[in-house]
Each structure stands twice: as C-alpha cells, then as structure tokens.
Amino acid sequence: MDINSQLNHLRGSANVTRKVVIGGVEFGGPDFAVIAGPCSIESEQHLLETGKAVKKAGAALLRGGIWKMRTSAESFQGLGKDAFSFLPEALKSLEMGIISEITDPRQIEILDPIVSAYQVGSRNMHNYALLTELGKQNKPILLKRGFGALIDEWIKAAGYAEKAGNQNIILCERGIRTFEKATRNTLDINAVVYAKRHSPYPVIVDPSHAIGIAELVPDVALAAVAAGADGLIIEVHPTPKLAKSDGDQTLDFAQFENLMGRVNRILTAIDRKLIHA
Ligand code: PEP
Ligand code: MN
C-alpha cells in the first residue's frame, strides 16, 4: 500500500482523493507536482526565459496570467489577446503545459487550444456562471479559494462545475483575509487538510499570494508540502523587482531552484516523488 492509500485507510470515512491530470501531470495520486511561472506573461522572451528556468529546476507545469484581475483599473491588466500571437509557438518550444486564469466565459474559445487547465481566481470563486460554463468544457479547472470564502463555500463552488459535467477540479488554497496585516493574506493550512479529508478533490497551495513576501514564500511552501498538499503553484520571474504584477511575492530563479531542492527533501521524508515536466 503506498503512503496515500495508507493515509486514506487511516482516515476511515474520509473521501479518497480523485486523480486529476493536467497536461499529462497527475494531481491527487502518490506523487507531487509544482506549477511555476510569472504572475503575468509580459512578452514572448519573458515567458521563454522563465519557462526554461522553472522547468530546469523541476516544475512540471507553467503558470502565467494573460488576463489579470487587478484591484486597480489603472494597474497592468495582462497582455490579453496580444499574447496569442506568440503563445502557441512558445509553449511548443518549451514542451510544457500552461495554466492561466480565465476571467470571462467569452475567453473560452481563444484559451481552450492554449491552456492545459483553466484557473479560476480568488475573486471569481463565487462566479457560478463562469464555473458552470467551465463545467461544460473538457479541460481541468484549478479553483482558487475566495479570500473571504469559507472552506465549505469553496468546496460547494466546485460543485457548480461538477454539476455541469466536469469532474476534473483541483482546489487551491491561496490565503484568506484575516485581521493580520503583516502578511498579504493568511495561509490557511487547516483548509488544506480539511478539504483533503472532506472533498474528493486534490488540493494544492499557492504560498506566493498567501504570504505576499518573497523571502517568506519558501518556508510556507514547505509547510504545505509537509501538510499533505498535492502540489504547489509559485510565482517566479527573472527580475521580480521589474515584474508588472506581484513582484513583492515573486521568487527569482535562484530562490526557486533553492526551494525545489528543499521541497525534494521533504517529499523524500514523506515518501512522495516530484513529477517533472
Ligand atoms: C494569480 O494567480 O496571479 C492571482 C491573481 O491569484 P488569486 O486569484 O489567488 O489572487
Ligand atoms: Mn499574482
């Protein structure tokens, strides 16, 4: 019996985690995968450089925003449609799948040939019309937790996509808003273990948005690995200070490589393996 089967056995009445495959990478099984890349894709060169670096360090999949949900309408909103002139070629040369946020069901047509999974962002967790539309698609959904949502509301939101026909859903804990202001959000590690036990979905963690401070991202990422998350999604940029969004919480290549070495050591200790691209 592998370690996950043993854990499920010990959990007794708990749900067995469903396996969800994104671009050939399995989440919710015995192994562990890391999704990494920029908050926003800034140019072809930027995506290629970042993609090569995260792949070399052990990431299985890329992340990268095309349409961004920014607090201010004056902030960079992502390249939008302009990104599609280079995305197919760039992804082909990197030989990596990408996960990107969908902010409007009208983007499905243009995104579908490009992404390996649709990310539903924290601000859209309650957008049941969007979740229902994604439920009719064939691609997996990465459902981030609303920053003010209860765990139960998050799990039930996944039910909208599921009811519309899509069972391939992964939950992502990305920090919630609490009274604490020292960090951007508060990583709710309870949510990781609770959702693993009380939902059928794999659960991954986004330590970047959870803590919001690059130098502290690795330590909370390791806590998520130890707590039994099925994967991580991490923001990485060649020069975080110059990033067009979320630079303060973004790792540079050396920091990411160092983190991956530490992730591997925790995985060895809990009898799991890292899935490579
Ligand atoms: C992101 O992944 O860049 C993002 C905007 O995440 P969230 O929806 O969790 O804020
Ligand atoms: Mn971001």
Side-chain angles (χ1 to χ4, degrees), residues 20-23 108 112 115-118 132-141 164-169:
V20 176
V21 178
I22 299 182
I108 289 175
D112 203 65
V115 297
S116 297
Y118 292 105
T132 300
E133 276 313 301
L134 294 177
K136 298 176 195 160
Q137 309 303 314
N138 291 321
K139 296 270 166 75
I141 302 163
N166 194 340
Q167 294 211 321
N168 293 314
I169 302 161

Side-chain angles (χ1 to χ4, degrees), residues 151-152 154-155 189-199 203:
I151 300 170
D152 185 53
W154 179 36
I155 294 170
I189 208 89
N190 294 353
V192 179
V193 295
Y194 187 95
K196 283 282 289 181
R197 188 178 174 119
H198 294 285
S199 87
V203 180

Side-chain angles (χ1 to χ4, degrees), residues 39 63 68 101 119 121-123 144 174 209 235:
C39 177
R63 62 149 288 145
K68 299 301 301 176
E101 181 170 354
Q119 177 174 320
S122 187
R123 291 157 189 79
K144 290 196 148 196
R174 48 77 73 206
H209 291 84
E235 288 186 336

Side-chain angles (χ1 to χ4, degrees), residues 13 24 74 111 126 140 142 202 265 271:
S13 62
E74 304 310 316
L111 273 176
H126 296 280
L142 179 66
R265 289 199 286 283
D271 211 10

Side-chain angles (χ1 to χ4, degrees), residues 47 96 102 111:
L47 182 66
M96 272 179 113
I102 178 158
L111 273 176

